[in-house]
Amino acid sequence: MQTEFGGDYYRQLFDDAPIMYVITSQTDNPIISEVNQQFLTRLGYRREEVIGQELRRFYSPDSAAKFAAGGYRRALDNVFVREERELLAADGEIVPTILK
């Protein structure tokens, strides 16, 4: 299986990473194009429930407000800061995370 990651080897590295990774489209309203296994396992979603969804759908209301206030825009402008965010698991649990 060839992927946008350059082949099976890179796909396996991405999926096996011990932290959650999300890849989104680069638009003002980011759509999830890929996630790794850690994201799916920790939050309790299946890949088909996540791919193609808006990123903010998986944020807590508090984190969604920070997102709307320009957090994603800063990332697109290559301004990366360490920020706390809360993700919502499939069962409703709030999962604290740190964006880097």
Side-chain angles (χ1 to χ4, degrees), residues 10-78:
Y10 292 106
R11 178 69 215 196
Q12 194 66 47
L13 287 175
F14 177 76
D15 267 341
D16 290 347
I19 60 175
M20 293 185 283
Y21 276 106
V22 176
I23 298 174
T24 62
S25 59
Q26 293 187 358
T27 66
D28 287 334
N29 185 27
I31 304 298
I32 297 173
S33 57
E34 194 55 77
V35 296
N36 71 344
Q37 190 59 47
Q38 182 66 18
F39 181 94
L40 298 171
T41 301
R42 178 61 183 97
L43 298 179
Y45 293 104
R46 293 185 324 269
R47 190 173 305 280
E48 56 272 10
E49 294 176 297
V50 175
I51 303 300
Q53 298 296 315
E54 291 183 25
L55 178 60
R56 72 179 79 206
R57 175 177 176 249
F58 300 94
Y59 280 8
S60 71
D62 216 24
S63 287
K66 290 177 184 176
F67 176 90
Y72 189 71
R73 181 80 248 157
R74 285 192 306 275
L76 290 178
D77 291 338
N78 291 318

Side-chain angles (χ1 to χ4, degrees), residues 74 79-85 97-100:
R74 285 192 306 275
V79 177
F80 295 98
V81 295
R82 185 180 170 142
E83 297 179 343
E84 293 182 12
R85 290 288 188 271
T97 61
I98 296 177
L99 300 179
K100 290 185 176 186

